[in-house]
Amino acid sequence: MSEVRSKAGLAKETLVKLNGLSTAAKNDALLKMADALVANQHSIIEANAKDLERGRANGTSPSLLDRLALNEARIAAMADGLRQIVELPDPIGDQLDHIERPNGLRIEKIRVPLGVIGIIYEARPNVTVDAAGLCLKTGNAVVLRGGSSAIISNTRIVEVLQEALAASEIPVHSLQLIQDTNRASVDEMLKLNGLLDVVIPRGGSSLIQNVVQNATVPVIETGAGICHTYLDATAKPDMAEAIVLNAKVQRPSVCNSMETLLVHADFAAAYLQSIATSLKAKNVELRGCERTAQYIQIDQTASEQDYATEYNDYILNVKIVNDINEALTHIRTYGTMHSECIVTEDASHAAQFLQEVDAAAVYHNASTRFTDGFEFGFGAEIGISTQKLHARGPMGLPALTSTKYRVYGTGQIRS
Amino acid sequence: MSEVRSKAGLAKETLVKLNGLSTAAKNDALLKMADALVANQHSIIEANAKDLERGRANGTSPSLLDRLALNEARIAAMADGLRQIVELPDPIGDQLDHIERPNGLRIEKIRVPLGVIGIIYEARPNVTVDAAGLCLKTGNAVVLRGGSSAIISNTRIVEVLQEALAASEIPVHSLQLIQDTNRASVDEMLKLNGLLDVVIPRGGSSLIQNVVQNATVPVIETGAGICHTYLDATAKPDMAEAIVLNAKVQRPSVCNSMETLLVHADFAAAYLQSIATSLKAKNVELRGCERTAQYIQIDQTASEQDYATEYNDYILNVKIVNDINEALTHIRTYGTMHSECIVTEDASHAAQFLQEVDAAAVYHNASTRFTDGFEFGFGAEIGISTQKLHARGPMGLPALTSTKYRVYGTGQIRS
């Protein structure tokens, strides 16, 4: 039997035990995991050094090496992340509905774990800890499949976490790491219906698209964000500039940052120059539609392809529109239904935008950068869903649960 | 452009209009659809006669012809189904959560339509009406792909419904029927990411498995049910017999009927003979494990394959177990996580069964036949989900919705 099938099977076998655990027992295990990370930080850093060395030898980019690198502070942060998950309410067992039928049947809808969750991700070893903590807190077993660049780090981290589990009530096999970092192990996970209940990809768009295109196991799609900010004619200039700068440059590499700025022609005439100057001061490359060049100096003309690109970089498309409807049409055409913003003082335009834009999060007068589980107050985040089924937007612990109906009878039969 | 892509695109274009409609406007359209079915019943019955004639010429089985056949009473029932959907509360716009953040951001979680729903189904023309009504009530556009055996009926029904929509505020193109009944049109729908938001298969297991195995569009899996009833040592004999008979023979062809009866050895010794006699009186073929033959006369020995088969017929596997844990293990091995029942007077066994069995609906002392949207009091049912993501068990109107976050700011930016 393959490693993937064998480990998923071992994980599945722990579900009955895992699902019967109290919140206190799960929290105790999470605290032991946190303590174990800190207690074993030197061996984790040693393992990480080998990944870094291999990465440098392979010519890995400095930014990727930075994401991969662990030190005492980062390990402490991973441990703190687990302790924060301990503080969150446990959704498992929550009663979501209660129905009394005329025939006397009593029906309860109860939150239950999803089962075995597969997580497919790339370089960051902190995802290993984070995903393990979130899944186990919600009574799910988890099969982790991280990228090859972090395999030595991930292997040591999972060893440490499994040693902690061995001293807890959570079964050790509830946490599995796939050692095979060939593409074939991902392909196998994606078809593992019956053993995996869901696969969640975390990473760049090619990783996510591979999962979406090839999985027969249900998927929660995360991540891709071509987000827009629309400056309406009545936008307050200072507010507009602050929101634009924040949405573009506060952290350009993430999915909730802005890729295209839509500007009402009247607003552009009065205020776009000031905003463009501020963006250029932050080294943002500006690609504009033809009309944009009437108001500001652009670096190049924006193409159809540019509007459809998630830059995750210091590049911004700028497009002039005649009214809100033109902005809405552009968003419908190019948006990925992640996060969209209107800046306006016109209440009816705000209402129209919030009603018509079909996205996980739609903002009036605030930066799209707030689309985040922590910023929404969930206390955790397993990712940001860009699909409409099951969960949409930032996913906290309830997104890692399913439900079941418990039906209590006294001999009822159907007539 | 293909018919599938073109019609899905037309459906998608109606979403903004459709999503802005009031409940009253949607209900008005549904009532017009109901009236139109009755007003046009003769032309629908004429169209149906052609399907039936072709079916008979092709040697279609009598039971399939019966499912296909329409008459005045059945058309009236379809119209009544639409009127019942009118009476149901409209979930769209419901506020599911309200968050006030320390930075002043106000976040609302709102129910919104899923978007464009693809329904892939087989012979019954009533699914055409039912799915159209449920999808449109929830502000979704719908692309219907019915089976070739009912295509003339479905075409006429959809014409009638579209004529009714033309006199309502719901756009006519919100309702689409695919005329191409070749397999290729299904294959195309399954890959139509970006145009279809979800595909829901309704039909037999080969149809469902094709969808699950080949779709890149998100799927809500419905239907397959290998359901068990476990008679514990302390089960009341009369109640046990009534539940067993109901679960097996009240309507054997449906997914929530029982396929395997698990019986505690002590109960079997005292009462299995009586139950078997009643089942034989209803012409149920009994396939038993080796021990079963100690208690009753069986028609043949049950194989591994039998335990894994959804008969949907007058056939029942019977297996003797020594205790509840053996029953739970069997259900874990062969169940499809649909509906499972324990009959017992032992409260701790009932609690263990309801906790440990991982199924959409778990019953204590009631027939599994109750797993149904109407029996659960939902007033409608688009199917019974056997997956864990998004919706599980009988799906009412809320299962046809997604959510979005509306975020109200006063210029907040992220630091």
Side-chain angles (χ1 to χ4, degrees):
Chain A
M1 193 184 296
S2 72
E3 183 200 7
V4 164
R5 181 166 290 274
S6 147
K7 287 186 172 174
L10 286 171
K12 183 171 176 161
E13 282 174 16
T14 70
L15 289 180
V16 171
K17 172 88 192 295
L18 189 55
N19 300 353
L21 292 181
S22 67
T23 303
K26 292 186 285 188
N27 284 343
D28 171 71
L30 263 61
L31 290 173
K32 288 190 164 113
M33 287 161 61
D35 292 345
L37 286 175
V38 176
N40 292 280
Q41 60 185 334
H42 296 303
S43 68
I44 294 170
I45 291 169
E46 269 176 42
N48 184 247
K50 293 177 192 164
D51 279 330
L52 290 169
E53 190 181 345
R54 191 165 36 98
R56 275 187 292 265
N58 293 344
T60 304
S61 73
S63 70
L64 201 67
L65 288 173
D66 177 61
R67 270 183 271 173
L68 177 58
L70 293 177
N71 54 36
E72 292 192 6
R74 286 185 173 184
I75 290 172
M78 296 186 327
D80 281 348
L82 290 173
R83 295 190 186 104
Q84 284 167 30
I85 295 170
V86 168
E87 298 301 315
L88 295 176
D90 180 357
I92 299 303
D94 282 358
Q95 187 176 304
L96 301 182
D97 203 358
H98 182 103
I99 305 163
E100 304 264 359
R101 297 295 300 155
N103 61 8
L105 281 185
R106 191 160 57 79
I107 304 175
E108 292 176 354
K109 186 178 187 181
I110 303 287
R111 266 203 204 282
V112 299
L114 282 169
V116 184
I117 298 177
I119 310 271
I120 297 175
Y121 57 107
E122 291 173 330
R124 293 175 187 273
N126 62 314
V127 173
T128 306
V129 176
D130 194 36
L134 292 166
C135 291
L136 294 174
K137 170 85 181 203
T138 42
N140 294 291
V142 57
V143 178
L144 301 168
R145 178 18 183 105
S148 58
S149 62
I151 186 64
I152 305 173
S153 311
N154 287 337
T155 300
R156 181 61 196 140
I157 288 169
V158 169
E159 279 172 6
V160 166
L161 297 178
Q162 286 176 331
E163 283 162 25
L165 291 181
S168 83
E169 291 187 56
I170 291 183
V172 171
H173 287 313
S174 299
L175 171 61
Q176 299 286 346
L177 176 72
I178 302 302
Q179 293 288 332
D180 177 2
T181 58
N182 290 304
R183 162 79 179 261
S185 66
V186 169
D187 294 343
E188 189 179 2
M189 282 178 73
L190 299 182
K191 308 280 187 192
L192 219 54
N193 301 64
L195 286 178
L196 294 184
D197 291 286
V198 58
V199 169
I200 303 176
R202 287 184 62 170
S205 63
S206 72
L207 180 148
I208 291 168
Q209 279 311 306
N210 176 43
V211 170
V212 169
Q213 291 300 318
N214 295 304
T216 54
V217 173
V219 172
I220 301 179
E221 187 174 350
T222 67
I226 297 178
C227 304
H228 304 77
T229 300
Y230 167 55
L231 306 180
D232 199 16
T234 62
K236 284 187 179 171
D238 291 352
M239 186 194 290
E241 185 164 330
I243 287 173
V244 167
L245 280 169
N246 190 255
K248 183 67 249 179
V249 305
Q250 195 250 350
R251 200 170 167 201
S253 63
V254 291
C255 58
N256 56 21
S257 63
M258 170 177 56
E259 306 298 2
T260 297
L261 176 65
L262 303 166
V263 190
H264 191 288
D266 294 350
F267 186 90
Y271 305 111
L272 187 55
Q273 181 58 61
S274 165
I275 292 174
T277 303
S278 298
L279 287 165
K280 291 308 294 181
K282 297 286 187 182
N283 298 312
V284 176
E285 177 187 327
L286 298 177
R287 302 187 182 179
C289 70
E290 287 181 10
R291 292 176 67 187
T292 306
Q294 299 174 14
Y295 307 104
I296 59 170
Q297 189 181 344
I298 58 173
D299 295 294
Q300 66 179 74
T301 303
S303 66
E304 291 278 309
Q305 184 55 43
D306 288 333
Y307 292 135
T309 299
E310 184 177 8
Y311 295 123
N312 285 341
D313 203 349
Y314 287 84
I315 307 173
L316 179 68
N317 304 313
V318 182
K319 182 175 175 180
I320 309 298
V321 296
N322 287 320
D323 58 24
I324 185 174
N325 292 312
E326 199 180 336
L328 289 166
T329 300
H330 182 94
I331 290 169
R332 225 171 6 252
T333 308
Y334 296 104
T336 55
M337 307 198 299
H338 190 297
S339 298
E340 307 291 354
C341 168
I342 182 172
V343 185
T344 189
E345 294 300 304
D346 181 325
S348 75
H349 283 186
Q352 183 185 354
F353 193 89
L354 268 61
Q355 162 69 23
E356 289 192 14
V357 171
D358 182 22
V362 192
Y363 291 83
H364 176 213
N365 290 351
S367 167
T368 55
R369 286 280 294 113
F370 285 108
T371 304
D372 175 279
F374 295 93
E375 294 295 334
F376 273 34
F378 300 164
E381 183 188 285
I382 190 76
I384 296 172
S385 166
T386 51
Q387 67 183 32
K388 292 190 187 175
L389 282 194
H390 185 68
R392 196 177 194 200
M395 295 187 287
L397 294 182
L400 295 176
T401 69
S402 182
T403 59
K404 78 176 173 191
Y405 289 102
R406 291 186 186 152
V407 186
Y408 300 87
T410 51
Q412 282 84 351
I413 59 172
R414 189 161 167 190
S415 53
Chain B
M1 193 183 296
S2 71
E3 182 200 9
V4 164
R5 181 167 289 275
S6 148
K7 288 186 171 173
L10 287 171
K12 183 172 175 160
E13 282 174 17
T14 70
L15 289 181
V16 171
K17 171 88 193 295
L18 189 55
N19 300 353
L21 292 181
S22 67
T23 302
K26 292 185 284 187
N27 283 342
D28 171 69
L30 263 60
L31 290 173
K32 289 189 163 112
M33 287 161 61
D35 291 345
L37 286 175
V38 176
N40 291 280
Q41 59 185 334
H42 295 304
S43 68
I44 294 171
I45 290 170
E46 269 174 44
N48 184 247
K50 293 177 192 164
D51 278 330
L52 289 170
E53 190 180 347
R54 191 165 35 98
R56 275 187 291 264
N58 292 343
T60 305
S61 72
S63 70
L64 202 65
L65 288 173
D66 177 61
R67 271 184 272 174
L68 177 57
L70 293 177
N71 54 36
E72 293 192 8
R74 285 187 175 184
I75 290 173
M78 297 187 326
D80 281 347
L82 289 174
R83 294 190 187 104
Q84 285 167 29
I85 295 171
V86 168
E87 298 301 315
L88 295 176
D90 180 358
I92 299 305
D94 283 357
Q95 185 175 305
L96 301 183
D97 203 357
H98 182 103
I99 305 164
E100 304 265 359
R101 296 295 300 154
N103 61 8
L105 281 184
R106 190 160 57 80
I107 305 174
E108 292 175 354
K109 186 177 187 180
I110 303 288
R111 265 202 204 282
V112 298
L114 282 169
V116 184
I117 299 177
I119 311 270
I120 298 174
Y121 57 107
E122 292 175 329
R124 294 175 186 272
N126 63 314
V127 173
T128 306
V129 176
D130 193 37
L134 293 167
C135 291
L136 294 174
K137 169 85 181 204
T138 43
N140 294 291
V142 58
V143 178
L144 301 169
R145 168 47 174 89
S148 58
S149 63
I151 186 64
I152 305 173
S153 312
N154 287 338
T155 299
R156 180 63 196 139
I157 288 170
V158 169
E159 279 171 6
V160 166
L161 297 179
Q162 286 176 331
E163 284 162 24
L165 291 182
S168 83
E169 291 187 56
I170 291 183
V172 171
H173 286 314
S174 297
L175 171 61
Q176 298 287 346
L177 175 73
I178 303 301
Q179 294 287 332
D180 177 1
T181 58
N182 289 304
R183 163 78 179 262
S185 66
V186 169
D187 294 344
E188 189 178 2
M189 283 178 73
L190 299 182
K191 308 281 187 192
L192 219 54
N193 301 63
L195 286 179
L196 294 184
D197 292 286
V198 59
V199 169
I200 304 176
R202 286 183 63 170
S205 63
S206 72
L207 180 150
I208 291 167
Q209 279 311 305
N210 176 43
V211 170
V212 169
Q213 292 298 318
N214 294 304
T216 54
V217 173
V219 172
I220 302 180
E221 186 175 349
T222 66
I226 297 177
C227 304
H228 303 78
T229 299
Y230 168 55
L231 306 180
D232 200 16
T234 62
K236 284 186 179 172
D238 291 350
M239 184 193 291
E241 185 165 329
I243 288 173
V244 166
L245 281 171
N246 190 254
K248 184 66 250 180
V249 305
Q250 195 251 349
R251 200 171 167 204
S253 63
V254 292
C255 58
N256 57 19
S257 64
M258 171 178 55
E259 306 297 2
T260 297
L261 176 65
L262 303 166
V263 189
H264 190 287
D266 294 350
F267 186 91
Y271 306 110
L272 186 56
Q273 181 57 61
S274 164
I275 293 174
T277 302
S278 299
L279 287 165
K280 292 309 293 180
K282 298 285 187 182
N283 297 313
V284 176
E285 177 186 328
L286 298 177
R287 301 187 183 179
C289 70
E290 287 182 10
R291 292 177 66 187
T292 305
Q294 299 174 15
Y295 307 105
I296 59 170
Q297 189 180 344
I298 57 174
D299 296 293
Q300 66 180 75
T301 303
S303 66
E304 291 277 308
Q305 185 54 43
D306 287 332
Y307 292 134
T309 299
E310 184 178 7
Y311 296 121
N312 285 340
D313 203 349
Y314 288 83
I315 307 173
L316 178 69
N317 303 313
V318 182
K319 183 176 173 177
I320 308 299
V321 296
N322 286 320
D323 58 26
I324 184 174
N325 292 311
E326 200 180 336
L328 289 165
T329 299
H330 182 94
I331 291 169
R332 230 177 355 260
T333 309
Y334 296 103
T336 55
M337 308 198 296
H338 190 299
S339 299
E340 306 291 354
C341 167
I342 182 172
V343 184
T344 187
E345 294 300 303
D346 181 325
S348 75
H349 282 186
Q352 182 186 355
F353 192 90
L354 268 62
Q355 162 69 24
E356 290 192 14
V357 172
D358 183 21
V362 192
Y363 292 82
H364 175 211
N365 290 351
S367 168
T368 55
R369 286 279 296 115
F370 285 107
T371 304
D372 175 280
F374 295 93
E375 294 295 333
F376 273 35
F378 300 164
E381 182 188 285
I382 190 77
I384 296 171
S385 165
T386 51
Q387 67 182 32
K388 292 189 188 176
L389 283 193
H390 186 67
R392 196 176 194 201
M395 295 188 288
L397 294 181
L400 295 176
T401 70
S402 182
T403 60
K404 77 176 174 190
Y405 289 102
R406 291 185 184 153
V407 187
Y408 300 87
T410 51
Q412 282 84 351
I413 59 172
R414 188 160 166 190
S415 54

